[in-house]
Amino acid sequence: LRATVQMAAARTPEMLRGPLQELCLQLRLAPLLSELDIRSAFAKAINEPPENAVTAAVSSLQRTGALDSQEQLTPLGRHLAMLPVEICIGRLMIYGALLGCADSILLIAAALSDRSPFLAPLSRRDEARAAQVQFNLSQSDHLSVLEAYNRWQAEKRKGGSTAHRFCERHFLSERTLNAMEEMVGQFWQQLSELGLLPDLRGLTYEQRESARHNANRHGDSPLLLKAVLAAGMCPNVLHVTPGKHLPQLSQQKQSVQIHPSSFNHRVARFDANFLIYHEKVKTTGKICVHDCTAVTALDLLLFAAEPQVLHSQHRVLIDGWIDLRISPRTAVLLKGVRHQMSELMRQRIANSGDGGSDTAAMAAQEAVLSAIISLIKRGVAAPELTEESNISISSKSNATKSVQGRGRGR
């Protein structure tokens, strides 16, 4: 009786419990609400969400390019609204398709959408981690899943029970790996319906394999895969600073730790100054991330929120708190590359279902994207950035003062 009296009369509505980004996109697709701004559309709900939550959701979608300044769907936003996945995973899938690493990225998206294939039995946790650590080649939990999956596929091709024994030796869930494989097929079909990937139905085996290989022609580059992960996960970024024993991680002024389940837990030194992550959770008084990947300043300059170049201060400000010290010439060059890439990708998304697109224009777009992909794969700009950046983090208020007081506008 006591429990019955203390129970709430009804469950808290979903729009009052979580982020509103996905609902915002769906509202933009609703014909009866398309003429209203998003705040007015939410005001028609029985349980109206807090205004600050709506404002934060709209601002986040505008920073990631899903909504324009008039709160209307961009081509990217329209595609994201059509995909039945989280927005960050949708961005990951779209960028993976556009940058020629579809299969690899869709596998990572499948793992993020379900559960990790890495098992950790309570009584054999240390043994499991020792068997699985060989998959962590690039300080990336996300690429570790991809490596384990590819190794499992290689064992499957041998036939017999070799794949099953491989999973037993390395504490991998074969059921989860099979589910990932099935989910990749579903994701591929969804992207093909949007015109971003070829439709594999009705093709011969050789034609399917050729189409998949072409769509994943850059899928073996860890540097490019990390850049695409940055495109999908931003603004989920952590800054890495050297510590007495272990690196210190922070997001603005919030201290963050890496969960023991991550391959990057207790890493003594990261190869890059930033980490991207999928989810951040609070456990036993600590803020933790379960999965993360080391990414470079170049990845953030190209794929994070629009950078603000402060010419006179030799600085670039990203997302209001990531403060990079960089020469003005390099900053302007990279910002120009970013704008050109963004415009070309916007055109490709907008024309993805148009079979009559200008062949010459598409060839020019492909040439520019190929040059940018080559830049990322070779890490050409990364050493220059690492050498000059002396990266520092300032609070949002201090950053705003710096911009207003000394920096020049965009």
Side-chain angles (χ1 to χ4, degrees), residues 248-386:
Q248 302 298 308
L249 309 179
S250 61
Q251 187 175 49
Q252 300 192 42
K253 290 186 175 182
Q254 184 183 68
S255 178
V256 181
Q257 297 185 18
I258 298 177
H259 194 269
S261 62
S262 168
F263 285 111
N264 288 326
H265 180 61
R266 302 195 69 80
V267 167
R269 181 181 180 276
F270 285 102
D271 298 333
N273 290 316
F274 299 96
L275 301 177
I276 54 93
Y277 64 90
H278 179 219
E279 290 182 333
K280 187 170 59 175
V281 297
K282 187 174 183 179
T283 57
T284 62
K286 299 176 182 179
I287 305 297
C288 295
V289 293
H290 284 265
D291 55 306
C292 56
T293 289
V295 297
T296 66
L298 173 63
D299 298 331
L300 300 184
L301 281 167
L302 291 177
F303 294 107
E306 179 72 16
Q308 185 170 12
V309 181
L310 308 178
H311 298 268
S312 62
Q313 301 174 36
H314 288 219
R315 294 167 52 218
V316 169
L317 198 64
I318 301 175
D319 211 22
W321 69 277
I322 301 173
D323 196 348
L324 310 180
R325 187 166 297 279
I326 181 175
S327 71
R329 181 176 178 274
T330 303
V332 171
L333 175 64
L334 287 174
K335 189 170 182 179
V337 169
R338 173 197 170 96
H339 282 175
Q340 191 167 16
M341 178 183 65
S342 298
E343 177 59 22
L344 292 176
M345 295 184 74
R346 186 195 66 78
Q347 292 175 11
R348 289 187 63 173
I349 292 173
N351 299 328
S352 56
D354 183 8
S357 298
D358 186 344
T359 305
M362 291 182 64
Q365 293 175 15
E366 188 64 34
V368 173
L369 284 179
S370 294
I372 295 170
I373 290 169
S374 178
L375 174 76
I376 296 170
K377 289 175 67 174
R378 300 202 318 268
V380 170
E384 195 272 348
L385 278 171
T386 303

Side-chain angles (χ1 to χ4, degrees), residues 198-215:
D199 190 347
L200 302 180
R201 294 174 299 183
L203 300 181
T204 65
Y205 174 80
E206 291 77 12
Q207 290 171 330
R208 285 199 306 272
E209 289 301 299
S210 176
R212 294 189 80 104
H213 179 269
N214 184 59

